[in-house]
mmCIF file of all heavy atoms in Angstrom:
data_model
loop_
_atom_site.group_PDB
_atom_site.id
_atom_site.type_symbol
_atom_site.label_atom_id
_atom_site.label_comp_id
_atom_site.label_asym_id
_atom_site.label_seq_id
_atom_site.Cartn_x
_atom_site.Cartn_y
_atom_site.Cartn_z
ATOM 1 N N THR A 1 -108.446 -147.709 -73.227
ATOM 2 C CA THR A 1 -108.511 -146.233 -73.400
ATOM 3 C C THR A 1 -108.025 -145.779 -74.836
ATOM 4 O O THR A 1 -107.617 -146.725 -75.588
ATOM 5 C CB THR A 1 -107.603 -145.527 -72.379
ATOM 6 O OG1 THR A 1 -106.211 -145.922 -72.602
ATOM 7 C CG2 THR A 1 -107.951 -145.858 -70.929
ATOM 8 N N ASN A 2 -108.180 -144.562 -75.070
ATOM 9 C CA ASN A 2 -107.764 -144.010 -76.398
ATOM 10 C C ASN A 2 -108.384 -144.809 -77.542
ATOM 11 O O ASN A 2 -109.674 -144.958 -77.569
ATOM 12 C CB ASN A 2 -106.237 -143.960 -76.549
ATOM 13 C CG ASN A 2 -105.607 -142.927 -75.557
ATOM 14 O OD1 ASN A 2 -106.021 -141.863 -75.431
ATOM 15 N ND2 ASN A 2 -104.575 -143.395 -74.822
ATOM 16 N N GLY A 3 -107.655 -145.320 -78.453
ATOM 17 C CA GLY A 3 -108.243 -146.056 -79.639
ATOM 18 C C GLY A 3 -108.937 -147.382 -79.180
ATOM 19 O O GLY A 3 -109.746 -147.918 -80.024
ATOM 20 N N ASN A 4 -108.724 -147.835 -77.994
ATOM 21 C CA ASN A 4 -109.431 -149.008 -77.460
ATOM 22 C C ASN A 4 -110.575 -148.700 -76.514
ATOM 23 O O ASN A 4 -111.251 -149.550 -75.989
ATOM 24 C CB ASN A 4 -108.557 -149.936 -76.795
ATOM 25 C CG ASN A 4 -107.398 -150.454 -77.629
ATOM 26 O OD1 ASN A 4 -107.555 -150.748 -78.783
ATOM 27 N ND2 ASN A 4 -106.162 -150.614 -77.114
ATOM 28 N N SER A 5 -110.951 -147.441 -76.506
ATOM 29 C CA SER A 5 -112.042 -146.943 -75.635
ATOM 30 C C SER A 5 -113.376 -147.236 -76.204
ATOM 31 O O SER A 5 -113.579 -147.243 -77.415
ATOM 32 C CB SER A 5 -111.875 -145.435 -75.329
ATOM 33 O OG SER A 5 -113.046 -144.896 -74.660
ATOM 34 N N ARG A 6 -114.402 -147.411 -75.331
ATOM 35 C CA ARG A 6 -115.750 -147.605 -75.733
ATOM 36 C C ARG A 6 -116.180 -146.327 -76.462
ATOM 37 O O ARG A 6 -117.219 -146.326 -77.273
ATOM 38 C CB ARG A 6 -116.677 -147.907 -74.594
ATOM 39 C CG ARG A 6 -116.612 -149.311 -74.086
ATOM 40 C CD ARG A 6 -117.649 -149.553 -73.044
ATOM 41 N NE ARG A 6 -118.941 -149.302 -73.505
ATOM 42 C CZ ARG A 6 -120.009 -148.963 -72.699
ATOM 43 N NH1 ARG A 6 -119.841 -148.878 -71.396
ATOM 44 N NH2 ARG A 6 -121.236 -148.725 -73.293
ATOM 45 N N LEU A 7 -115.623 -145.095 -76.164
ATOM 46 C CA LEU A 7 -115.979 -143.927 -76.775
ATOM 47 C C LEU A 7 -115.870 -143.926 -78.291
ATOM 48 O O LEU A 7 -116.603 -143.205 -79.019
ATOM 49 C CB LEU A 7 -115.170 -142.722 -76.232
ATOM 50 C CG LEU A 7 -115.441 -142.369 -74.750
ATOM 51 C CD1 LEU A 7 -114.281 -141.438 -74.308
ATOM 52 C CD2 LEU A 7 -116.773 -141.632 -74.626
ATOM 53 N N MET A 8 -114.972 -144.749 -78.787
ATOM 54 C CA MET A 8 -114.748 -144.802 -80.256
ATOM 55 C C MET A 8 -115.964 -145.225 -80.984
ATOM 56 O O MET A 8 -116.164 -144.929 -82.161
ATOM 57 C CB MET A 8 -113.560 -145.774 -80.573
ATOM 58 C CG MET A 8 -112.247 -145.287 -79.975
ATOM 59 S SD MET A 8 -111.638 -143.771 -80.550
ATOM 60 C CE MET A 8 -111.341 -144.021 -82.268
ATOM 61 N N GLU A 9 -116.865 -146.048 -80.348
ATOM 62 C CA GLU A 9 -118.013 -146.569 -80.988
ATOM 63 C C GLU A 9 -119.322 -145.803 -80.713
ATOM 64 O O GLU A 9 -120.381 -146.167 -81.195
ATOM 65 C CB GLU A 9 -118.251 -148.095 -80.440
ATOM 66 C CG GLU A 9 -117.004 -148.927 -80.729
ATOM 67 C CD GLU A 9 -117.137 -150.271 -80.022
ATOM 68 O OE1 GLU A 9 -118.135 -150.502 -79.247
ATOM 69 O OE2 GLU A 9 -116.208 -151.105 -80.122
ATOM 70 N N MET A 10 -119.180 -144.808 -79.862
ATOM 71 C CA MET A 10 -120.350 -144.073 -79.471
ATOM 72 C C MET A 10 -120.619 -142.811 -80.399
ATOM 73 O O MET A 10 -119.703 -142.151 -80.819
ATOM 74 C CB MET A 10 -120.189 -143.577 -78.067
ATOM 75 C CG MET A 10 -120.227 -144.552 -77.010
ATOM 76 S SD MET A 10 -120.208 -143.823 -75.270
ATOM 77 C CE MET A 10 -119.584 -145.185 -74.318
ATOM 78 N N SER A 11 -121.820 -142.546 -80.695
ATOM 79 C CA SER A 11 -122.221 -141.406 -81.465
ATOM 80 C C SER A 11 -122.612 -140.270 -80.492
ATOM 81 O O SER A 11 -122.879 -140.438 -79.355
ATOM 82 C CB SER A 11 -123.416 -141.671 -82.391
ATOM 83 O OG SER A 11 -124.620 -141.869 -81.554
ATOM 84 N N ILE A 12 -122.510 -139.019 -81.014
ATOM 85 C CA ILE A 12 -122.925 -137.842 -80.204
ATOM 86 C C ILE A 12 -124.456 -138.030 -79.776
ATOM 87 O O ILE A 12 -124.750 -137.629 -78.702
ATOM 88 C CB ILE A 12 -122.689 -136.589 -80.993
ATOM 89 C CG1 ILE A 12 -121.245 -136.342 -81.317
ATOM 90 C CG2 ILE A 12 -123.221 -135.355 -80.256
ATOM 91 C CD1 ILE A 12 -120.324 -136.250 -80.096
ATOM 92 N N ALA A 13 -125.280 -138.509 -80.720
ATOM 93 C CA ALA A 13 -126.647 -138.699 -80.360
ATOM 94 C C ALA A 13 -126.826 -139.617 -79.111
ATOM 95 O O ALA A 13 -127.680 -139.279 -78.233
ATOM 96 C CB ALA A 13 -127.390 -139.258 -81.488
ATOM 97 N N GLN A 14 -126.088 -140.741 -79.067
ATOM 98 C CA GLN A 14 -126.162 -141.657 -77.838
ATOM 99 C C GLN A 14 -125.727 -140.877 -76.602
ATOM 100 O O GLN A 14 -126.356 -141.008 -75.570
ATOM 101 C CB GLN A 14 -125.218 -142.761 -78.111
ATOM 102 C CG GLN A 14 -125.698 -143.760 -79.159
ATOM 103 C CD GLN A 14 -124.696 -144.886 -79.376
ATOM 104 O OE1 GLN A 14 -123.580 -144.642 -79.729
ATOM 105 N NE2 GLN A 14 -125.149 -146.103 -79.296
ATOM 106 N N MET A 15 -124.710 -140.005 -76.676
ATOM 107 C CA MET A 15 -124.246 -139.295 -75.519
ATOM 108 C C MET A 15 -125.262 -138.265 -75.110
ATOM 109 O O MET A 15 -125.497 -138.097 -73.869
ATOM 110 C CB MET A 15 -122.896 -138.584 -75.806
ATOM 111 C CG MET A 15 -121.683 -139.549 -76.197
ATOM 112 S SD MET A 15 -120.272 -138.641 -76.684
ATOM 113 C CE MET A 15 -119.215 -140.077 -77.207
ATOM 114 N N GLN A 16 -125.805 -137.567 -76.084
ATOM 115 C CA GLN A 16 -126.845 -136.576 -75.682
ATOM 116 C C GLN A 16 -128.074 -137.243 -75.047
ATOM 117 O O GLN A 16 -128.652 -136.668 -74.167
ATOM 118 C CB GLN A 16 -127.303 -135.850 -77.003
ATOM 119 C CG GLN A 16 -126.243 -134.878 -77.557
ATOM 120 C CD GLN A 16 -126.505 -134.427 -78.879
ATOM 121 O OE1 GLN A 16 -127.259 -135.026 -79.687
ATOM 122 N NE2 GLN A 16 -126.040 -133.218 -79.271
ATOM 123 N N LYS A 17 -128.414 -138.436 -75.470
ATOM 124 C CA LYS A 17 -129.510 -139.197 -74.833
ATOM 125 C C LYS A 17 -129.192 -139.453 -73.384
ATOM 126 O O LYS A 17 -130.069 -139.283 -72.437
ATOM 127 C CB LYS A 17 -129.878 -140.449 -75.567
ATOM 128 C CG LYS A 17 -131.117 -141.212 -74.997
ATOM 129 C CD LYS A 17 -131.354 -142.393 -75.825
ATOM 130 C CE LYS A 17 -132.624 -143.130 -75.228
ATOM 131 N NZ LYS A 17 -132.972 -144.387 -75.994
ATOM 132 N N ALA A 18 -127.969 -139.893 -73.175
ATOM 133 C CA ALA A 18 -127.521 -140.233 -71.757
ATOM 134 C C ALA A 18 -127.552 -139.044 -70.901
ATOM 135 O O ALA A 18 -127.852 -139.059 -69.678
ATOM 136 C CB ALA A 18 -126.152 -140.900 -71.798
ATOM 137 N N LEU A 19 -127.166 -137.879 -71.487
ATOM 138 C CA LEU A 19 -127.070 -136.596 -70.721
ATOM 139 C C LEU A 19 -128.439 -136.063 -70.283
ATOM 140 O O LEU A 19 -128.496 -135.100 -69.448
ATOM 141 C CB LEU A 19 -126.313 -135.508 -71.547
ATOM 142 C CG LEU A 19 -124.825 -135.717 -71.715
ATOM 143 C CD1 LEU A 19 -124.201 -134.739 -72.648
ATOM 144 C CD2 LEU A 19 -124.133 -135.551 -70.334
ATOM 145 N N GLU A 20 -129.443 -136.596 -70.835
ATOM 146 C CA GLU A 20 -130.839 -136.201 -70.414
ATOM 147 C C GLU A 20 -131.003 -136.484 -68.874
ATOM 148 O O GLU A 20 -131.908 -135.916 -68.290
ATOM 149 C CB GLU A 20 -131.875 -136.851 -71.251
ATOM 150 C CG GLU A 20 -131.902 -136.360 -72.690
ATOM 151 C CD GLU A 20 -132.852 -137.216 -73.529
ATOM 152 O OE1 GLU A 20 -133.539 -138.120 -73.009
ATOM 153 O OE2 GLU A 20 -132.934 -136.949 -74.774
ATOM 154 N N LYS A 21 -130.177 -137.461 -68.369
ATOM 155 C CA LYS A 21 -130.357 -137.753 -67.005
ATOM 156 C C LYS A 21 -129.482 -136.954 -66.098
ATOM 157 O O LYS A 21 -129.387 -137.080 -64.844
ATOM 158 C CB LYS A 21 -129.901 -139.235 -66.729
ATOM 159 C CG LYS A 21 -130.757 -140.232 -67.609
ATOM 160 C CD LYS A 21 -130.203 -141.693 -67.307
ATOM 161 C CE LYS A 21 -131.019 -142.713 -68.035
ATOM 162 N NZ LYS A 21 -130.886 -142.693 -69.462
ATOM 163 N N SER A 22 -128.772 -135.936 -66.680
ATOM 164 C CA SER A 22 -127.795 -135.019 -65.934
ATOM 165 C C SER A 22 -128.107 -133.560 -66.170
ATOM 166 O O SER A 22 -128.465 -133.215 -67.320
ATOM 167 C CB SER A 22 -126.424 -135.359 -66.348
ATOM 168 O OG SER A 22 -125.532 -134.389 -65.826
ATOM 169 N N ASP A 23 -127.948 -132.759 -65.206
ATOM 170 C CA ASP A 23 -128.063 -131.310 -65.364
ATOM 171 C C ASP A 23 -126.820 -130.585 -64.930
ATOM 172 O O ASP A 23 -126.839 -129.353 -64.690
ATOM 173 C CB ASP A 23 -129.276 -130.809 -64.529
ATOM 174 C CG ASP A 23 -129.161 -131.070 -63.002
ATOM 175 O OD1 ASP A 23 -128.164 -131.750 -62.643
ATOM 176 O OD2 ASP A 23 -130.035 -130.645 -62.244
ATOM 177 N N MET A 24 -125.642 -131.323 -64.862
ATOM 178 C CA MET A 24 -124.427 -130.727 -64.567
ATOM 179 C C MET A 24 -124.015 -129.761 -65.604
ATOM 180 O O MET A 24 -124.018 -129.994 -66.809
ATOM 181 C CB MET A 24 -123.305 -131.884 -64.434
ATOM 182 C CG MET A 24 -121.980 -131.322 -63.873
ATOM 183 S SD MET A 24 -120.698 -132.508 -64.042
ATOM 184 C CE MET A 24 -120.190 -132.258 -65.764
ATOM 185 N N GLU A 25 -123.442 -128.516 -65.186
ATOM 186 C CA GLU A 25 -122.864 -127.643 -66.159
ATOM 187 C C GLU A 25 -121.348 -127.888 -66.209
ATOM 188 O O GLU A 25 -120.637 -128.020 -65.139
ATOM 189 C CB GLU A 25 -123.119 -126.199 -65.600
ATOM 190 C CG GLU A 25 -124.584 -125.815 -65.656
ATOM 191 C CD GLU A 25 -124.753 -124.327 -65.422
ATOM 192 O OE1 GLU A 25 -123.787 -123.634 -65.366
ATOM 193 O OE2 GLU A 25 -125.974 -123.963 -65.353
ATOM 194 N N ALA A 26 -120.815 -128.008 -67.405
ATOM 195 C CA ALA A 26 -119.405 -128.301 -67.606
ATOM 196 C C ALA A 26 -118.550 -127.172 -67.192
ATOM 197 O O ALA A 26 -118.768 -125.978 -67.525
ATOM 198 C CB ALA A 26 -119.089 -128.613 -69.065
ATOM 199 N N PRO A 27 -117.472 -127.382 -66.360
ATOM 200 C CA PRO A 27 -116.620 -126.304 -65.929
ATOM 201 C C PRO A 27 -115.721 -125.877 -67.034
ATOM 202 O O PRO A 27 -115.506 -126.528 -68.028
ATOM 203 C CB PRO A 27 -115.741 -126.948 -64.757
ATOM 204 C CG PRO A 27 -115.813 -128.454 -65.132
ATOM 205 C CD PRO A 27 -117.157 -128.720 -65.743
ATOM 206 N N LEU A 28 -115.157 -124.658 -66.954
ATOM 207 C CA LEU A 28 -114.301 -124.084 -67.927
ATOM 208 C C LEU A 28 -112.978 -124.904 -67.872
ATOM 209 O O LEU A 28 -112.548 -125.341 -66.820
ATOM 210 C CB LEU A 28 -113.999 -122.645 -67.668
ATOM 211 C CG LEU A 28 -115.176 -121.680 -67.832
ATOM 212 C CD1 LEU A 28 -114.795 -120.292 -67.353
ATOM 213 C CD2 LEU A 28 -115.554 -121.543 -69.351
ATOM 214 N N PRO A 29 -112.333 -124.989 -69.031
ATOM 215 C CA PRO A 29 -111.052 -125.734 -69.033
ATOM 216 C C PRO A 29 -109.986 -124.812 -68.438
ATOM 217 O O PRO A 29 -109.955 -123.695 -68.656
ATOM 218 C CB PRO A 29 -110.765 -125.942 -70.513
ATOM 219 C CG PRO A 29 -111.546 -124.835 -71.202
ATOM 220 C CD PRO A 29 -112.693 -124.613 -70.387
ATOM 221 N N PRO A 30 -109.081 -125.373 -67.630
ATOM 222 C CA PRO A 30 -107.999 -124.633 -67.064
ATOM 223 C C PRO A 30 -107.049 -124.210 -68.163
ATOM 224 O O PRO A 30 -106.821 -124.891 -69.154
ATOM 225 C CB PRO A 30 -107.334 -125.548 -66.042
ATOM 226 C CG PRO A 30 -107.781 -126.868 -66.453
ATOM 227 C CD PRO A 30 -109.060 -126.739 -67.190
ATOM 228 N N GLY A 31 -106.337 -123.150 -67.908
ATOM 229 C CA GLY A 31 -105.419 -122.594 -68.903
ATOM 230 C C GLY A 31 -104.043 -123.022 -68.686
ATOM 231 O O GLY A 31 -103.130 -122.499 -69.429
ATOM 232 N N HIS A 32 -103.693 -123.883 -67.763
ATOM 233 C CA HIS A 32 -102.301 -124.293 -67.630
ATOM 234 C C HIS A 32 -102.188 -125.725 -67.104
ATOM 235 O O HIS A 32 -103.142 -126.261 -66.607
ATOM 236 C CB HIS A 32 -101.525 -123.361 -66.568
ATOM 237 C CG HIS A 32 -102.122 -123.404 -65.174
ATOM 238 N ND1 HIS A 32 -101.697 -124.305 -64.219
ATOM 239 C CD2 HIS A 32 -103.117 -122.711 -64.620
ATOM 240 C CE1 HIS A 32 -102.353 -124.144 -63.135
ATOM 241 N NE2 HIS A 32 -103.236 -123.182 -63.314
ATOM 242 N N TRP A 33 -101.002 -126.289 -67.236
ATOM 243 C CA TRP A 33 -100.717 -127.650 -66.865
ATOM 244 C C TRP A 33 -100.608 -127.714 -65.338
ATOM 245 O O TRP A 33 -99.932 -126.815 -64.748
ATOM 246 C CB TRP A 33 -99.486 -128.178 -67.514
ATOM 247 C CG TRP A 33 -99.718 -128.521 -68.937
ATOM 248 C CD1 TRP A 33 -99.908 -127.601 -70.033
ATOM 249 C CD2 TRP A 33 -99.829 -129.849 -69.510
ATOM 250 N NE1 TRP A 33 -100.138 -128.251 -71.127
ATOM 251 C CE2 TRP A 33 -100.097 -129.675 -70.932
ATOM 252 C CE3 TRP A 33 -99.741 -131.092 -68.961
ATOM 253 C CZ2 TRP A 33 -100.256 -130.676 -71.802
ATOM 254 C CZ3 TRP A 33 -99.982 -132.144 -69.896
ATOM 255 C CH2 TRP A 33 -100.172 -131.903 -71.285
ATOM 256 N N GLY A 34 -101.135 -128.706 -64.703
ATOM 257 C CA GLY A 34 -101.146 -128.802 -63.280
ATOM 258 C C GLY A 34 -99.913 -129.224 -62.653
ATOM 259 O O GLY A 34 -99.276 -128.359 -61.980
ATOM 260 N N ASP A 35 -99.464 -130.488 -62.813
ATOM 261 C CA ASP A 35 -98.389 -130.986 -62.019
ATOM 262 C C ASP A 35 -97.253 -131.424 -62.930
ATOM 263 O O ASP A 35 -96.668 -132.481 -62.779
ATOM 264 C CB ASP A 35 -98.829 -132.072 -61.133
ATOM 265 C CG ASP A 35 -99.663 -133.144 -61.826
ATOM 266 O OD1 ASP A 35 -99.890 -133.039 -63.017
ATOM 267 O OD2 ASP A 35 -100.228 -133.991 -61.101
ATOM 268 N N MET A 36 -96.881 -130.521 -63.882
ATOM 269 C CA MET A 36 -95.786 -130.912 -64.809
ATOM 270 C C MET A 36 -94.464 -131.144 -64.093
ATOM 271 O O MET A 36 -93.733 -132.033 -64.417
ATOM 272 C CB MET A 36 -95.718 -129.800 -65.835
ATOM 273 C CG MET A 36 -94.606 -130.123 -66.957
ATOM 274 S SD MET A 36 -95.018 -131.608 -67.818
ATOM 275 C CE MET A 36 -96.513 -131.253 -68.619
ATOM 276 N N ARG A 37 -94.099 -130.246 -63.124
ATOM 277 C CA ARG A 37 -92.800 -130.404 -62.506
ATOM 278 C C ARG A 37 -92.742 -131.760 -61.760
ATOM 279 O O ARG A 37 -91.656 -132.450 -61.845
ATOM 280 C CB ARG A 37 -92.570 -129.233 -61.512
ATOM 281 C CG ARG A 37 -92.361 -127.940 -62.266
ATOM 282 C CD ARG A 37 -91.918 -126.879 -61.192
ATOM 283 N NE ARG A 37 -92.940 -126.606 -60.218
ATOM 284 C CZ ARG A 37 -93.969 -125.804 -60.297
ATOM 285 N NH1 ARG A 37 -94.091 -125.130 -61.429
ATOM 286 N NH2 ARG A 37 -94.878 -125.677 -59.368
ATOM 287 N N GLN A 38 -93.826 -132.084 -61.049
ATOM 288 C CA GLN A 38 -93.842 -133.360 -60.396
ATOM 289 C C GLN A 38 -93.736 -134.565 -61.317
ATOM 290 O O GLN A 38 -93.088 -135.522 -61.087
ATOM 291 C CB GLN A 38 -95.089 -133.451 -59.492
ATOM 292 C CG GLN A 38 -95.209 -132.442 -58.319
ATOM 293 C CD GLN A 38 -95.850 -131.193 -58.669
ATOM 294 O OE1 GLN A 38 -95.885 -130.751 -59.838
ATOM 295 N NE2 GLN A 38 -96.541 -130.599 -57.714
ATOM 296 N N HIS A 39 -94.458 -134.450 -62.439
ATOM 297 C CA HIS A 39 -94.400 -135.439 -63.499
ATOM 298 C C HIS A 39 -92.960 -135.753 -63.940
ATOM 299 O O HIS A 39 -92.553 -136.825 -63.965
ATOM 300 C CB HIS A 39 -95.250 -135.034 -64.666
ATOM 301 C CG HIS A 39 -95.497 -136.130 -65.636
ATOM 302 N ND1 HIS A 39 -96.512 -136.043 -66.629
ATOM 303 C CD2 HIS A 39 -94.931 -137.300 -65.953
ATOM 304 C CE1 HIS A 39 -96.509 -137.070 -67.365
ATOM 305 N NE2 HIS A 39 -95.547 -137.876 -66.987
ATOM 306 N N VAL A 40 -92.256 -134.692 -64.270
ATOM 307 C CA VAL A 40 -90.879 -134.762 -64.734
ATOM 308 C C VAL A 40 -90.035 -135.319 -63.571
ATOM 309 O O VAL A 40 -89.085 -136.255 -63.785
ATOM 310 C CB VAL A 40 -90.338 -133.451 -65.234
ATOM 311 C CG1 VAL A 40 -88.879 -133.601 -65.623
ATOM 312 C CG2 VAL A 40 -91.187 -133.009 -66.461
ATOM 313 N N PHE A 41 -90.201 -134.853 -62.347
ATOM 314 C CA PHE A 41 -89.385 -135.286 -61.223
ATOM 315 C C PHE A 41 -89.559 -136.755 -60.991
ATOM 316 O O PHE A 41 -88.583 -137.491 -60.794
ATOM 317 C CB PHE A 41 -89.777 -134.560 -59.975
ATOM 318 C CG PHE A 41 -89.230 -135.119 -58.692
ATOM 319 C CD1 PHE A 41 -87.802 -134.914 -58.327
ATOM 320 C CD2 PHE A 41 -89.985 -135.818 -57.872
ATOM 321 C CE1 PHE A 41 -87.289 -135.436 -57.224
ATOM 322 C CE2 PHE A 41 -89.412 -136.386 -56.697
ATOM 323 C CZ PHE A 41 -88.077 -136.181 -56.340
ATOM 324 N N TYR A 42 -90.799 -137.274 -60.894
ATOM 325 C CA TYR A 42 -90.970 -138.730 -60.636
ATOM 326 C C TYR A 42 -90.526 -139.554 -61.873
ATOM 327 O O TYR A 42 -90.028 -140.678 -61.605
ATOM 328 C CB TYR A 42 -92.501 -138.972 -60.432
ATOM 329 C CG TYR A 42 -92.957 -138.577 -59.005
ATOM 330 C CD1 TYR A 42 -94.000 -137.776 -58.782
ATOM 331 C CD2 TYR A 42 -92.237 -139.163 -57.896
ATOM 332 C CE1 TYR A 42 -94.403 -137.436 -57.491
ATOM 333 C CE2 TYR A 42 -92.683 -138.833 -56.553
ATOM 334 C CZ TYR A 42 -93.725 -137.973 -56.420
ATOM 335 O OH TYR A 42 -94.115 -137.648 -55.134
ATOM 336 N N GLY A 43 -90.573 -139.055 -63.055
ATOM 337 C CA GLY A 43 -90.046 -139.792 -64.250
ATOM 338 C C GLY A 43 -88.563 -139.903 -64.108
ATOM 339 O O GLY A 43 -87.998 -140.969 -64.373
ATOM 340 N N ALA A 44 -87.846 -138.905 -63.653
ATOM 341 C CA ALA A 44 -86.412 -138.958 -63.484
ATOM 342 C C ALA A 44 -86.013 -139.917 -62.368
ATOM 343 O O ALA A 44 -85.139 -140.682 -62.493
ATOM 344 C CB ALA A 44 -85.854 -137.566 -63.214
ATOM 345 N N LEU A 45 -86.797 -139.803 -61.235
ATOM 346 C CA LEU A 45 -86.516 -140.771 -60.090
ATOM 347 C C LEU A 45 -86.759 -142.195 -60.419
ATOM 348 O O LEU A 45 -85.915 -143.012 -60.076
ATOM 349 C CB LEU A 45 -87.378 -140.261 -58.895
ATOM 350 C CG LEU A 45 -87.053 -140.935 -57.611
ATOM 351 C CD1 LEU A 45 -85.660 -140.764 -57.137
ATOM 352 C CD2 LEU A 45 -88.097 -140.453 -56.567
ATOM 353 N N TYR A 46 -87.832 -142.401 -61.108
ATOM 354 C CA TYR A 46 -88.173 -143.816 -61.569
ATOM 355 C C TYR A 46 -86.990 -144.402 -62.396
ATOM 356 O O TYR A 46 -86.545 -145.533 -62.125
ATOM 357 C CB TYR A 46 -89.438 -143.793 -62.337
ATOM 358 C CG TYR A 46 -89.952 -145.135 -62.813
ATOM 359 C CD1 TYR A 46 -90.817 -145.949 -62.076
ATOM 360 C CD2 TYR A 46 -89.570 -145.635 -64.121
ATOM 361 C CE1 TYR A 46 -91.241 -147.161 -62.586
ATOM 362 C CE2 TYR A 46 -90.023 -146.771 -64.583
ATOM 363 C CZ TYR A 46 -90.847 -147.574 -63.882
ATOM 364 O OH TYR A 46 -91.278 -148.771 -64.398
#
């Protein structure tokens, strides 16, 4: 993942070609963090 992800080697043109097989509409990004309290709680417990 991240710097070791296959995405690092992909161009936008390659992605656009792959998307020709899809007609999904991208959802809007949410405006807040989802489970931050649980994240901190489990970190403390761990």
Side-chain angles (χ1 to χ4, degrees):
T1 61
N2 293 312
N4 297 324
S5 169
R6 284 186 58 204
L7 290 167
M8 300 298 295
E9 303 168 0
M10 293 185 202
S11 68
I12 297 299
Q14 289 173 308
M15 297 177 189
Q16 289 169 333
K17 184 177 180 180
L19 285 171
E20 293 174 1
K21 302 179 176 71
S22 167
D23 59 358
M24 186 192 83
E25 293 189 9
L28 292 171
H32 64 89
W33 286 71
D35 47 7
M36 184 59 63
R37 290 187 301 273
Q38 294 94 329
H39 191 163
V40 175
F41 170 76
Y42 281 126
L45 186 59
Y46 179 93

